[in-house]
Amino acid sequence: MASFLAVSALSSGLTTTLALAADAARGAAIVNSRSQGLCLLCHRGPGVPEHLQGTLAPDLAGAGSRWTADELRQRLREPQRFNPDSIMPAYGRVADAGSGLQRVAPAWRGKPLLDAQQIEDVVAYLGTLK
């Protein structure tokens, strides 16, 4: 089931609103991916064989009950804001010279790990985990 979120974007000094259709199925694919989100390297998650799950971070089961969609979104974009010692990457942060990120592969310079649509999809999926 898709949900919609209005997101404000600042472009050329003008604020515009984009409607992103969040898709929980796409979000689940990102969370469970061993090459894209990589969430299960550190987190445990429902429906995934135990030997493919991490134990370094909070279990994702119940994430939709523990946090609101906005809190989940903020945790994906800026996890160190909630825990300065977190090893979780800031998925929405753009890797450029001013970002403070070091040793960024050339393919990722100027790009976030997940774009705004992908973050909304992950938030939609995590929100279903009650």
CSV table of all heavy atoms in Angstrom, one decimal, residues 1-7 18-28 30 69 73 115-128:
chain,number,residue,atom,x,y,z
A,1,MET,N,0.8,-1.2,0.0
A,1,MET,CA,0.0,0.0,0.0
A,1,MET,C,0.9,1.2,0.0
A,1,MET,O,1.8,1.3,0.8
A,1,MET,CB,-0.9,0.0,1.2
A,1,MET,CG,-1.7,1.3,1.4
A,1,MET,SD,-3.0,1.2,2.5
A,1,MET,CE,-2.2,1.1,4.1
A,2,ALA,N,0.6,2.2,-0.9
A,2,ALA,CA,1.4,3.4,-1.0
A,2,ALA,C,0.8,4.5,-0.1
A,2,ALA,O,-0.4,4.6,0.1
A,2,ALA,CB,1.5,3.9,-2.4
A,3,SER,N,1.7,5.3,0.5
A,3,SER,CA,1.2,6.5,1.2
A,3,SER,C,1.9,7.7,0.6
A,3,SER,O,2.9,7.5,0.0
A,3,SER,CB,1.5,6.3,2.7
A,3,SER,OG,2.9,6.2,2.9
A,4,PHE,N,1.4,8.8,0.9
A,4,PHE,CA,2.0,10.0,0.3
A,4,PHE,C,2.5,10.9,1.4
A,4,PHE,O,1.9,11.1,2.5
A,4,PHE,CB,1.0,10.8,-0.6
A,4,PHE,CG,0.6,10.0,-1.8
A,4,PHE,CD1,-0.5,9.1,-1.8
A,4,PHE,CD2,1.3,10.2,-2.9
A,4,PHE,CE1,-0.8,8.4,-2.9
A,4,PHE,CE2,1.0,9.5,-4.1
A,4,PHE,CZ,0.0,8.6,-4.1
A,5,LEU,N,3.6,11.6,1.2
A,5,LEU,CA,4.2,12.5,2.1
A,5,LEU,C,4.6,13.8,1.3
A,5,LEU,O,5.2,13.6,0.3
A,5,LEU,CB,5.4,11.9,2.7
A,5,LEU,CG,6.2,12.9,3.6
A,5,LEU,CD1,5.5,13.2,4.9
A,5,LEU,CD2,7.6,12.3,3.9
A,6,ALA,N,4.2,14.9,1.8
A,6,ALA,CA,4.6,16.1,1.2
A,6,ALA,C,6.0,16.5,1.7
A,6,ALA,O,6.1,16.6,2.9
A,6,ALA,CB,3.6,17.2,1.4
A,7,VAL,N,6.9,16.7,0.9
A,7,VAL,CA,8.3,17.1,1.3
A,7,VAL,C,8.6,18.4,0.7
A,7,VAL,O,8.5,18.6,-0.5
A,7,VAL,CB,9.3,16.0,0.8
A,7,VAL,CG1,10.7,16.3,1.1
A,7,VAL,CG2,8.9,14.6,1.3
A,18,LEU,N,7.0,18.4,-3.0
A,18,LEU,CA,6.9,17.3,-3.8
A,18,LEU,C,6.1,16.2,-3.1
A,18,LEU,O,6.2,16.1,-1.9
A,18,LEU,CB,8.3,16.7,-4.1
A,18,LEU,CG,9.4,17.7,-4.6
A,18,LEU,CD1,10.7,17.0,-4.6
A,18,LEU,CD2,9.0,18.0,-6.0
A,19,ALA,N,5.3,15.5,-3.8
A,19,ALA,CA,4.6,14.4,-3.2
A,19,ALA,C,5.3,13.1,-3.5
A,19,ALA,O,5.4,12.7,-4.7
A,19,ALA,CB,3.1,14.3,-3.7
A,20,LEU,N,5.8,12.4,-2.5
A,20,LEU,CA,6.5,11.2,-2.7
A,20,LEU,C,5.6,10.0,-2.3
A,20,LEU,O,5.1,10.0,-1.2
A,20,LEU,CB,7.8,11.1,-1.9
A,20,LEU,CG,8.8,12.2,-2.2
A,20,LEU,CD1,10.0,12.0,-1.2
A,20,LEU,CD2,9.3,12.1,-3.6
A,21,ALA,N,5.3,9.1,-3.2
A,21,ALA,CA,4.5,7.9,-2.9
A,21,ALA,C,5.4,6.9,-2.2
A,21,ALA,O,6.3,6.4,-2.8
A,21,ALA,CB,3.9,7.4,-4.2
A,22,ALA,N,5.2,6.7,-0.9
A,22,ALA,CA,6.0,5.8,-0.2
A,22,ALA,C,5.5,4.4,-0.4
A,22,ALA,O,4.3,4.2,-0.2
A,22,ALA,CB,6.1,6.2,1.3
A,23,ASP,N,6.3,3.4,-0.6
A,23,ASP,CA,5.9,2.1,-0.9
A,23,ASP,C,6.7,1.1,0.1
A,23,ASP,O,7.9,1.0,0.0
A,23,ASP,CB,6.3,1.7,-2.3
A,23,ASP,CG,5.8,0.3,-2.7
A,23,ASP,OD1,6.1,-0.6,-2.1
A,23,ASP,OD2,5.0,0.3,-3.7
A,24,ALA,N,5.9,0.5,1.0
A,24,ALA,CA,6.5,-0.3,2.0
A,24,ALA,C,7.2,-1.6,1.4
A,24,ALA,O,8.2,-2.0,2.0
A,24,ALA,CB,5.4,-0.8,3.0
A,25,ALA,N,6.7,-2.1,0.3
A,25,ALA,CA,7.3,-3.2,-0.3
A,25,ALA,C,8.7,-2.9,-0.8
A,25,ALA,O,9.7,-3.6,-0.7
A,25,ALA,CB,6.5,-3.8,-1.4
A,26,ARG,N,8.8,-1.7,-1.5
A,26,ARG,CA,10.2,-1.2,-1.9
A,26,ARG,C,11.1,-1.0,-0.7
A,26,ARG,O,12.3,-1.3,-0.7
A,26,ARG,CB,10.0,0.1,-2.7
A,26,ARG,CG,9.5,-0.1,-4.1
A,26,ARG,CD,9.6,1.1,-5.0
A,26,ARG,NE,9.2,2.3,-4.3
A,26,ARG,CZ,8.2,3.1,-4.8
A,26,ARG,NH1,7.6,2.8,-5.9
A,26,ARG,NH2,7.9,4.2,-4.1
A,27,GLY,N,10.5,-0.5,0.4
A,27,GLY,CA,11.3,-0.2,1.6
A,27,GLY,C,11.8,-1.5,2.2
A,27,GLY,O,12.9,-1.6,2.6
A,28,ALA,N,11.0,-2.6,2.2
A,28,ALA,CA,11.4,-3.9,2.7
A,28,ALA,C,12.5,-4.4,1.9
A,28,ALA,O,13.5,-5.0,2.4
A,28,ALA,CB,10.2,-4.8,2.7
A,30,ILE,N,14.8,-2.7,0.3
A,30,ILE,CA,16.0,-1.9,0.6
A,30,ILE,C,16.5,-2.4,2.0
A,30,ILE,O,17.7,-2.6,2.1
A,30,ILE,CB,15.7,-0.4,0.6
A,30,ILE,CG1,15.4,0.1,-0.8
A,30,ILE,CG2,16.9,0.4,1.3
A,30,ILE,CD1,14.8,1.5,-0.8
A,69,ALA,N,6.7,8.1,12.1
A,69,ALA,CA,7.3,8.2,10.8
A,69,ALA,C,8.4,9.3,10.7
A,69,ALA,O,9.5,9.1,10.2
A,69,ALA,CB,6.3,8.4,9.7
A,73,ARG,N,12.3,8.7,10.0
A,73,ARG,CA,13.0,9.5,8.9
A,73,ARG,C,14.2,10.2,9.4
A,73,ARG,O,15.3,10.2,8.8
A,73,ARG,CB,12.0,10.5,8.3
A,73,ARG,CG,12.4,11.2,7.1
A,73,ARG,CD,11.2,12.1,6.6
A,73,ARG,NE,10.1,11.3,6.2
A,73,ARG,CZ,8.9,11.2,7.0
A,73,ARG,NH1,8.8,12.0,8.1
A,73,ARG,NH2,7.9,10.5,6.6
A,115,ASP,N,18.3,8.0,-1.7
A,115,ASP,CA,17.7,9.3,-2.1
A,115,ASP,C,16.4,9.4,-1.3
A,115,ASP,O,15.9,8.6,-0.5
A,115,ASP,CB,17.4,9.3,-3.6
A,115,ASP,CG,16.5,8.3,-4.1
A,115,ASP,OD1,15.6,7.8,-3.4
A,115,ASP,OD2,16.6,7.9,-5.3
A,116,ALA,N,15.7,10.6,-1.4
A,116,ALA,CA,14.5,10.9,-0.7
A,116,ALA,C,13.4,9.9,-0.8
A,116,ALA,O,12.7,9.5,0.1
A,116,ALA,CB,14.0,12.3,-1.0
A,117,GLN,N,13.2,9.4,-2.1
A,117,GLN,CA,12.2,8.4,-2.3
A,117,GLN,C,12.5,7.1,-1.6
A,117,GLN,O,11.6,6.5,-1.0
A,117,GLN,CB,12.1,8.1,-3.8
A,117,GLN,CG,11.1,7.0,-4.2
A,117,GLN,CD,9.7,7.5,-3.9
A,117,GLN,OE1,9.2,8.4,-4.5
A,117,GLN,NE2,9.0,6.8,-2.9
A,118,GLN,N,13.8,6.7,-1.6
A,118,GLN,CA,14.2,5.4,-1.0
A,118,GLN,C,14.0,5.6,0.6
A,118,GLN,O,13.5,4.6,1.2
A,118,GLN,CB,15.6,5.1,-1.3
A,118,GLN,CG,15.8,4.7,-2.8
A,118,GLN,CD,17.2,4.6,-3.2
A,118,GLN,OE1,18.0,5.5,-2.8
A,118,GLN,NE2,17.6,3.6,-3.9
A,119,ILE,N,14.3,6.7,1.1
A,119,ILE,CA,14.1,6.9,2.6
A,119,ILE,C,12.7,6.8,2.9
A,119,ILE,O,12.3,6.2,3.9
A,119,ILE,CB,14.8,8.3,3.0
A,119,ILE,CG1,16.3,8.1,3.0
A,119,ILE,CG2,14.3,8.7,4.4
A,119,ILE,CD1,17.1,9.4,3.3
A,120,GLU,N,11.8,7.4,2.1
A,120,GLU,CA,10.4,7.4,2.4
A,120,GLU,C,9.9,5.9,2.3
A,120,GLU,O,9.0,5.5,3.1
A,120,GLU,CB,9.6,8.3,1.4
A,120,GLU,CG,9.8,9.7,1.7
A,120,GLU,CD,9.6,10.1,3.1
A,120,GLU,OE1,8.6,9.8,3.7
A,120,GLU,OE2,10.5,10.8,3.7
A,121,ASP,N,10.4,5.2,1.3
A,121,ASP,CA,10.0,3.8,1.2
A,121,ASP,C,10.4,3.0,2.5
A,121,ASP,O,9.6,2.2,3.0
A,121,ASP,CB,10.6,3.1,0.0
A,121,ASP,CG,10.1,3.7,-1.3
A,121,ASP,OD1,9.0,4.4,-1.3
A,121,ASP,OD2,10.7,3.6,-2.4
A,122,VAL,N,11.6,3.2,2.9
A,122,VAL,CA,12.1,2.5,4.2
A,122,VAL,C,11.3,2.9,5.4
A,122,VAL,O,10.9,2.1,6.2
A,122,VAL,CB,13.6,2.8,4.4
A,122,VAL,CG1,14.0,2.3,5.8
A,122,VAL,CG2,14.4,2.1,3.3
A,123,VAL,N,10.9,4.2,5.5
A,123,VAL,CA,10.1,4.7,6.6
A,123,VAL,C,8.7,4.0,6.5
A,123,VAL,O,8.2,3.6,7.5
A,123,VAL,CB,10.0,6.2,6.5
A,123,VAL,CG1,8.9,6.7,7.5
A,123,VAL,CG2,11.3,6.9,6.9
A,124,ALA,N,8.2,3.9,5.3
A,124,ALA,CA,6.9,3.2,5.1
A,124,ALA,C,6.9,1.8,5.6
A,124,ALA,O,6.0,1.3,6.3
A,124,ALA,CB,6.4,3.3,3.7
A,125,TYR,N,8.0,1.1,5.3
A,125,TYR,CA,8.2,-0.3,5.7
A,125,TYR,C,8.3,-0.4,7.2
A,125,TYR,O,7.7,-1.2,7.9
A,125,TYR,CB,9.4,-1.0,5.0
A,125,TYR,CG,9.7,-2.3,5.6
A,125,TYR,CD1,8.8,-3.4,5.5
A,125,TYR,CD2,10.9,-2.5,6.2
A,125,TYR,CE1,9.1,-4.6,6.1
A,125,TYR,CE2,11.2,-3.7,6.8
A,125,TYR,CZ,10.3,-4.8,6.7
A,125,TYR,OH,10.6,-6.0,7.3
A,126,LEU,N,9.2,0.4,7.7
A,126,LEU,CA,9.5,0.3,9.2
A,126,LEU,C,8.2,0.7,10.0
A,126,LEU,O,8.0,0.1,11.0
A,126,LEU,CB,10.6,1.2,9.6
A,126,LEU,CG,12.0,0.9,9.0
A,126,LEU,CD1,13.1,1.9,9.4
A,126,LEU,CD2,12.4,-0.5,9.5
A,127,GLY,N,7.4,1.5,9.4
A,127,GLY,CA,6.1,1.9,10.0
A,127,GLY,C,5.2,0.8,10.1
A,127,GLY,O,4.3,0.7,11.0
A,128,THR,N,5.3,-0.3,9.3
A,128,THR,CA,4.4,-1.4,9.3
A,128,THR,C,4.9,-2.4,10.4
A,128,THR,O,4.1,-3.3,10.7
A,128,THR,CB,4.4,-2.2,8.0
A,128,THR,OG1,5.7,-2.8,7.7
A,128,THR,CG2,4.0,-1.2,6.8
